Amino acid sequence: MSKGNIGVTSDNIFPVIKKFLYSDHEIFLRELISNAVDATTKLKTLSSVGEVKGDLGDLRVRVAIDKTKKTLTVSDHGIGMTAEEVDKYINQIAFSGAEEFLNQYKDKTEAIIGHFGLGFYSAFMVSKKVEIFSQSYKEDAKAVHWSCEGNPEYTMEDTIKSERGTDIVLHIDDEFAQYLEDATIEGLLKKYCKFLPVEIAFGKKKEWKDGKEVELDEENIINDINPAWTRKPADLKDEDYDKFYHELYPMQMDEPLFHIHLNVDYPFNLTGILYFPKIKTNLDVHRNKIQLYCNQVYVTDEVENIVPQYLTLLHGVIDSPDIPLNVSRSYLQSDNNVKKISGYITKKVADKLAELYKADKEDFAKKWDDIKLFIQFGMLTDEKFYEKATGFALYKNIGGEYATLDEYMDKVRDQQVDKDGNMVLLYTNDPDAHYTYIERAKAKGYDVLLMNGELDVHCMSQAEQKHEKLRFVRIDSDTIENLIKKEDAAKDNYTDEQKEGLRKAFEALLPSDADKLKYNVTCEAAAADALPVFLTQNEFMRRMKEMAAHQQGMAFYGQMPDSYNLVLNTNHPAIQALVDKTEGQDEKMKQLIDIALLASGQLKGEALAKFVNRSVELL
Ligand code: ADP
């Protein structure tokens, strides 16, 4: 037997390991199983090149709990280690790397927790003693037994081990007794090992029989060793992709809308499958996240810094050995490989969407409402994506017809260009409330878009910035004649004094709630067949308020009261009859105001009841 000190200079690094990774100690299992899988894969490689002769036999990795001995064992039949190798890889190298790392990140524990495995030594996070029993594949190699009790001293001696491979035995700390529970270990294996390339067995398969759970003779295999993303797209059908989606997210009931199979080997390695889920509300967004794997080992589902933010709305897996995981998150953002990866994914996603739109516009339009949030988010946050997305981002009109912005502008160009050459696109966010406005627009042969999505306001502003002579206006923001001005404004023959008199008289009758609601009374010679009095709401102010709801630094707009223009139509006989004759006409004027409020959906409660009674009396 030999004794020695682990090749580290610091006095006792084990307490540091424990404290350091405390919040994420469960990753020890991932680290040990990854090592076991690596050792097995290496053996297969050696066999395939003829370095190892004969049948490799059983290659399953097994995880076993012994409750009486309080041990958790990970066993493999991989290449194993000789005494020299244990000395080199366990006593020296692994640990010196850990020390360097600890020094480097002394003060930044938060930044790296969860993204760095200390490899084999992470076993000490949960164990008071760790033993290795290993038999190398090499001819004449003696089996070795290594043991260490969580201090820099270890013992190493020859032993007898009948099978090739390595057993790592963890004597679990009392403090971490949960790792001796079947359910905990099974949960961790499902989280980290579900798609490892070598079979992982844990206990026996169970089945429900006559209301009781019975153990079968068969081993319980945790993982799918050939997950869909590692296979060739040509070998997979749509059903296979859907099936894999449910393997990834067992709790998800909906089918994904479509998928993208990623596969690059230059200038970096990356495979994966991304799915477009049905996104109904903002709440759905963060339930099923993209999972990041490194050679089929689950790493994390926090991919924010690796893929652009809007892509985190997608579901699926990304597997890349080229994403540096042992570094801080802020570093990731500036890493060149990571930038290339996110650029590549953006391009693939955009190309796939363009291809789907081209292949079947009608089908794409059907899916549009479900993918709209994602595409708009991408357009608003990623210039490159915006450029590609203009070819398939759709606008929907109130008749349920879809078109890209370019297609739509072509459609309305003859009608909706004003006298100054601006293309004016009319929209509503609430067709019921804006019914009267919409009817007036239709009567003029105009089209009206439906813009009631969460990001629509932002997208309209973006489109306006990109197109010099394009404006979006909500249908209730002014009279239709003013929204799309075809000729100079009509005039009336009243003096400023007369109009001021009218204005004042109406103003005195308006409901007052100055903090929340403001009315601004104006006179205008609108169309004779328009309403005598109507409400409009300034497009700019309203949009600023809507955008303030999503954006920091715009709170000022959010606090402004809602303000409306109450327009008195001096071309309408009912208003003309009131010029110079407002005295004693309060009831009539109230009726006119209420009609305007009613027409824009703002007359409610007591005011509505009063209006109804007054109307009956007038009859
Ligand atoms: P890493 O896996 O990142 O290299 P580890 O500390 O986990 O670091 O392991 C150090 C080395 O010990 C491995 O590279 C490998 O050579 C050896 N090793 C660990 N576990 C096993 C095992 N189960 N079978 C064979 N070799 C192993």
Side-chain angles (χ1 to χ4, degrees), residues 334-461:
S334 58
D335 184 85
N336 262 336
N337 250 344
V338 171
K339 274 192 198 145
K340 276 188 218 145
I341 287 172
S342 90
Y344 164 79
I345 297 174
T346 292
K347 186 176 171 309
K348 272 299 259 207
V349 169
D351 288 349
K352 174 79 177 192
L353 289 164
E355 179 193 310
L356 287 168
Y357 181 59
K358 239 172 107 187
D360 190 344
K361 290 191 180 187
E362 219 168 286
D363 184 59
F364 191 87
K366 263 190 227 145
K367 289 172 174 156
W368 175 250
D369 291 342
D370 287 315
I371 59 174
K372 167 178 169 169
L373 191 65
F374 160 82
I375 292 176
Q376 292 186 331
F377 188 21
M379 293 174 82
L380 289 165
T381 53
D382 186 324
E383 191 60 28
K384 286 221 173 85
F385 187 76
Y386 172 88
E387 280 161 24
K388 291 191 173 255
T390 51
F392 52 76
L394 301 184
Y395 286 76
K396 174 170 150 184
N397 74 4
I398 51 171
E401 295 163 338
Y402 293 85
T404 65
L405 185 58
D406 285 340
E407 291 165 351
Y408 186 75
M409 291 199 296
D410 283 344
K411 181 176 144 188
V412 301
R413 182 159 285 126
D414 287 344
Q415 300 291 326
Q416 294 180 216
V417 173
D418 70 11
K419 67 181 175 59
D420 302 318
N422 293 308
M423 158 106 35
V424 182
L425 302 186
L426 304 169
Y427 72 93
T428 172
N429 63 334
D430 187 346
D432 281 340
H434 295 156
Y435 185 82
T436 41
Y437 303 91
I438 292 170
E439 287 304 303
R440 296 202 62 77
K442 278 190 187 161
K444 290 209 175 270
Y446 299 154
D447 196 69
V448 181
L449 290 169
L450 180 63
M451 296 298 238
N452 57 359
E454 288 170 79
L455 296 178
D456 282 350
V457 177
H458 299 267
C459 286
M460 288 186 279
S461 295

Side-chain angles (χ1 to χ4, degrees), residues 35-36 39 42 76 79-81 89-90 94 118-121 166 168:
N35 283 348
K42 280 179 195 158
D76 67 65
I79 51 172
M81 286 181 277
Y89 297 129
I90 303 293
L118 285 170
F120 168 73
Y121 276 89
T166 305
I168 308 286

Side-chain angles (χ1 to χ4, degrees), residues 66-163:
D66 186 327
K67 284 208 164 110
T68 38
K69 288 189 188 147
K70 297 189 179 170
T71 59
L72 176 74
T73 302
V74 177
S75 314
D76 67 65
H77 295 109
I79 51 172
M81 286 181 277
T82 62
E84 293 72 42
E85 285 164 339
V86 171
D87 198 43
K88 187 168 157 202
Y89 297 129
I90 303 293
N91 295 338
Q92 306 297 330
I93 295 188
F95 216 39
S96 57
E99 198 212 4
E100 192 183 304
F101 170 78
L102 287 171
N103 284 335
Q104 203 177 337
Y105 286 102
K106 239 180 232 140
D107 310 316
K108 302 181 211 157
T109 49
E110 289 302 308
I112 45 85
I113 280 177
H115 286 278
F116 185 80
L118 285 170
F120 168 73
Y121 276 89
S122 61
F124 286 98
M125 292 192 291
V126 298
S127 315
K128 50 189 176 217
K129 176 174 163 188
V130 178
E131 293 180 277
I132 303 174
F133 296 88
S134 194
Q135 167 68 57
S136 167
Y137 76 97
K138 289 177 184 158
E139 272 168 45
D140 306 327
K142 283 191 185 129
V144 57
H145 171 212
W146 178 94
S147 173
C148 178
E149 302 202 3
N151 53 41
E153 281 161 31
Y154 64 85
T155 63
M156 213 158 81
E157 61 190 341
D158 287 351
T159 189
I160 305 288
K161 187 176 182 301
S162 57
E163 293 178 318

